[in-house]
Amino acid sequence: MRICSVLFLTLLIVGCESELDILPPSSEWRIVVEGYLASSDSVLIRIDESRNSFDEYQTSSQRGKNAIVHLSYQGAVHTLTEYTGTNPLIQRNGKSLDPTFYFLPRSVFVIPDSGSLNLDVIYGGKQVDASCRVPAKIKILDFHTVLITQWKKDVVLTAAFPVGISYYYLRGKSVGTFQSKPAAVTFMSELIKVTGDGKPKTIHIVNNNGGVSFTSEEKQILVLGSTSKEYYNFYQVLRSQQTDTDRGLDFFGREATEISSNINGGFGIFTIISDDTMSVDIP
């Protein structure tokens, strides 16, 4: 029995002496797209690239430039141009944020009420594409605010949610009339999933805006944005990563997260947000 045990151990050691190739992480980069198309705004799409963390990484001012970006709807193809305006959403200290944004003005193309949009991007010798259906608008029926603290109010919203699952967010913006103050975001919710039955539904929505809140001195515009399941999944990944950052976890301390993307051949998100708006007086 002892001889058999020694023989088995010998064979096991010999069998484990085969070479093992340790491959470095793949340096194959991908195109990254961030396209959030709101029905009430012009088209603005961000182009970036992914790189391995251990590779040399070119400066952000070089990434995303000289891309060819096409948006098509019902056979009509529109070419986006590199954005050089002063949109405050992509400006910081008066300077444009890189990577590059590509632009199609609302005067040229208006997001349709239905159907699907297709996106094609060629950059750095690579090509990606994506498609997204235009979600139906969710009609705002009524709302009132709930005082949470001296400076914060939540919203109780009634809306006509369709049958099935909807994905939406709510934001509020002042119109900038109070004491000549500029317009400001006064309310911002998380991206929320709700199941509707075709009847009016009332929901308490928490204000996650960390700055200004609703005031009673000026009019507000409420925007209820309906979006896609793909964007909801993408948002959950970003939210999870932000939670890890808030917990102080560095690159090596975070749990591996599966990337949610609807970009064929690349990473990122291409989605459409259908907005319904209501001008209101805050009680």
Side-chain angles (χ1 to χ4, degrees), residues 33-103:
V33 176
E34 285 189 56
Y36 313 97
L37 280 57
S39 60
S40 57
D41 294 329
S42 298
V43 174
L44 199 61
I45 293 176
R46 177 178 181 252
I47 304 299
D48 195 358
E49 61 183 74
S50 70
R51 289 287 183 180
N52 190 293
S53 301
F54 300 98
D55 288 344
E56 292 184 3
Y57 198 56
Q58 62 177 315
T59 61
S60 62
S61 61
Q62 300 302 316
R63 304 196 311 264
K65 287 187 175 295
N66 302 317
I68 300 174
V69 184
H70 290 149
L71 185 69
S72 58
Y73 174 68
Q74 293 185 343
V77 180
H78 302 272
T79 301
L80 281 68
T81 57
E82 190 171 323
Y83 186 78
T84 57
T86 56
N87 189 322
L89 294 178
I90 59 170
Q91 291 277 318
R92 183 175 296 161
N93 298 326
K95 297 181 180 180
S96 295
L97 294 180
D98 289 311
T100 304
F101 288 80
Y102 290 82
F103 178 68

Side-chain angles (χ1 to χ4, degrees), residues 23 146 190 218 224 250:
L23 298 177
V146 178
E190 297 279 2
E218 58 184 332
L224 184 60
D250 60 14

Side-chain angles (χ1 to χ4, degrees), residues 154-185:
D154 287 352
V155 164
V156 175
L157 177 80
T158 302
F161 291 98
V163 175
I165 297 176
S166 297
Y167 305 89
Y168 74 95
Y169 71 91
L170 182 72
R171 73 178 188 269
K173 184 177 74 172
S174 67
V175 297
T177 58
F178 177 56
Q179 297 180 350
S180 300
K181 291 182 178 179
V185 174

Side-chain angles (χ1 to χ4, degrees), residues 212-270:
V212 183
S213 189
F214 285 127
T215 63
S216 58
E217 292 90 352
E218 58 184 332
K219 288 185 177 293
Q220 309 280 327
I221 297 176
L222 284 182
V223 180
L224 184 60
S226 172
T227 187
S228 63
K229 179 180 180 180
E230 289 79 11
Y231 181 32
Y232 179 81
N233 292 337
F234 180 78
Y235 175 84
Q236 296 304 314
V237 172
L238 295 185
R239 190 166 180 265
S240 172
Q241 291 295 306
Q242 184 59 50
T243 299
D244 286 346
T245 300
D246 294 342
R247 290 167 54 199
L249 298 179
D250 60 14
F251 177 82
F252 295 101
R254 299 181 181 183
E255 293 184 6
T257 303
E258 182 178 355
I259 298 175
S260 179
S261 170
N262 67 343
I263 307 299
N264 298 318
F267 298 128
I269 188 68
F270 175 61

